[in-house]
Amino acid sequence: MVDLDWCKRQDKGIKLIEPNNNLAEEYLKNAEETLAVLKEVDGKSNIWTATMKYYFEYFCFYSILMKLGIKCEIHDCTIEFCRLLESLEILPENSSEILEKDKVLRIDNQYYLKNKKIIIDYEKLSELFLQTKEIINKMTLSKIQRVRDII
């Protein structure tokens, strides 16, 4: 596990950028597209199922970062930032744990060829997508500024 201070010091770590509604929407579209493709490969390839499930979740959370004007190219730092958003009650509890667990599964299957079976709960993934849209739509300027002030 990394910490936010370390992430802020890294070149590709957590950085403030302008909040960007268009990029937030594009990441949501990428998540939706990834979910559709995931349904096509589910049961056919554990490598791609693990990879797509993780990136679906990652795109959802990253869309919130774009809405907040937070850029982060280090996945562990994005996960750590999700912990902060949980503590601020912006993200549901356990969001970071789910993302972290699925990152490990992706790495195990993609890089270490462990071929672990991935169980997909499409109802939960659809809920995550809808929750993400709701979070973005209800994000106020004051909430955005509150998070940016922490960074």
Side-chain angles (χ1 to χ4, degrees):
M1 180 168 17
V2 299
D3 67 48
L4 283 179
D5 289 331
W6 181 85
C7 292
K8 288 189 265 184
R9 292 190 305 270
Q10 302 312 302
D11 186 41
K12 295 188 181 232
I14 295 172
K15 303 285 183 235
L16 291 175
I17 60 172
E18 285 298 315
N20 193 318
N21 291 327
N22 291 333
L23 279 177
E25 285 298 319
E26 285 300 314
Y27 275 99
L28 272 177
K29 285 180 188 174
N30 284 341
E32 190 171 36
E33 178 182 317
T34 302
L35 184 59
V37 176
L38 173 60
K39 289 177 181 178
E40 296 294 318
V41 299
D42 187 15
K44 298 175 185 166
S45 168
N46 289 330
I47 291 171
W48 288 109
T49 299
T51 300
M52 289 186 183
K53 181 177 188 248
Y54 170 73
Y55 275 103
F56 165 78
E57 295 162 349
Y58 187 84
F59 290 151
C60 283
F61 295 129
Y62 208 80
S63 68
I64 296 168
L65 269 64
M66 291 294 100
K67 177 74 176 187
L68 294 166
I70 307 290
K71 180 179 179 181
C72 184
E73 297 179 45
I74 301 172
H75 285 232
D76 287 335
C77 292
T78 302
I79 293 168
E80 190 60 29
F81 195 78
C82 285
R83 283 187 179 83
L84 170 68
L85 295 179
E86 287 172 19
S87 73
L88 297 172
E89 299 179 348
I90 294 171
L91 284 180
E93 268 186 54
N94 299 322
S95 295
S96 59
E97 286 80 14
I98 291 166
L99 190 59
E100 191 163 40
K101 177 186 70 95
D102 287 340
K103 177 182 166 253
V104 170
L105 284 172
R106 176 188 67 89
I107 289 169
D108 282 351
N109 281 3
Q110 190 175 7
Y111 297 117
Y112 300 114
L113 305 175
K114 291 191 177 180
N115 201 31
K116 291 181 178 178
K117 178 78 174 138
I118 308 300
I119 306 299
I120 304 293
D121 183 337
Y122 288 102
E123 188 174 320
K124 282 188 180 180
L125 294 180
S126 295
E127 273 179 38
L128 172 61
F129 183 78
L130 294 173
Q131 283 177 330
T132 302
K133 283 180 86 163
E134 185 176 347
I135 290 166
I136 288 172
N137 289 334
K138 290 184 175 181
M139 188 75 61
T140 63
L141 290 175
S142 64
K143 192 177 278 190
I144 290 170
Q145 193 56 53
R146 179 175 161 225
V147 173
R148 292 173 63 81
D149 287 346
I150 293 171
I151 299 303

